[in-house]
Amino acid sequence: MANNSGVRSSQRGIISSVVSPILQYGGVAWKFGLYIQCNQQKLNSVPRRMNLWVISAYCTVSSEAACVVVEVTPISVFLVEDSYCYENKGTQNVKTRARDSSIAN
């Protein structure tokens, strides 16, 4: 689809929401690789392109800025939260604590 015409950004957001569950699948299995910078860059490259596409931005826009505009959490941060929840399953408010620790870092 064209970046400057055609589908509206709200419709693009719905289409791009398919990418996140695919990348999240099995993320807990390779949680130790998330702490390596080059792995995080590779992992964030696909959602970055989707976020730039949703907001019709140029490739010079940073990943962090694109995530803020699209209002999504970067996939590497989300997978770290998922691994924390998996390790502490059965604990009360584990999702809240995982989100608070990722915001603090």
Side-chain angles (χ1 to χ4, degrees), residues 37 40-41 44 47-48 51-52 55 60-74 76-77:
Q37 184 67 27
Q40 287 182 3
Q41 289 174 347
N44 286 328
R48 178 183 185 277
N51 292 340
L52 292 177
I55 60 175
T60 56
V61 175
S62 68
S63 298
E64 294 82 10
C67 285
V68 168
V69 174
V70 179
E71 298 175 354
V72 295
T73 305
S76 59
V77 173

Side-chain angles (χ1 to χ4, degrees), residues 6-19:
V7 181
R8 291 179 294 182
S9 67
S10 61
Q11 294 169 334
R12 291 180 186 188
I14 293 170
I15 295 169
S16 70
S17 65
V18 173
V19 172

Side-chain angles (χ1 to χ4, degrees), residues 26-55:
V28 177
W30 33 275
K31 65 180 178 182
F32 296 113
L34 294 174
Y35 299 106
I36 300 171
Q37 184 67 27
C38 66
N39 290 343
Q40 287 182 3
Q41 289 174 347
K42 289 178 185 178
L43 183 64
N44 286 328
S45 67
V46 174
R48 178 183 185 277
R49 291 181 59 106
M50 293 299 294
N51 292 340
L52 292 177
W53 177 69
V54 168
I55 60 175

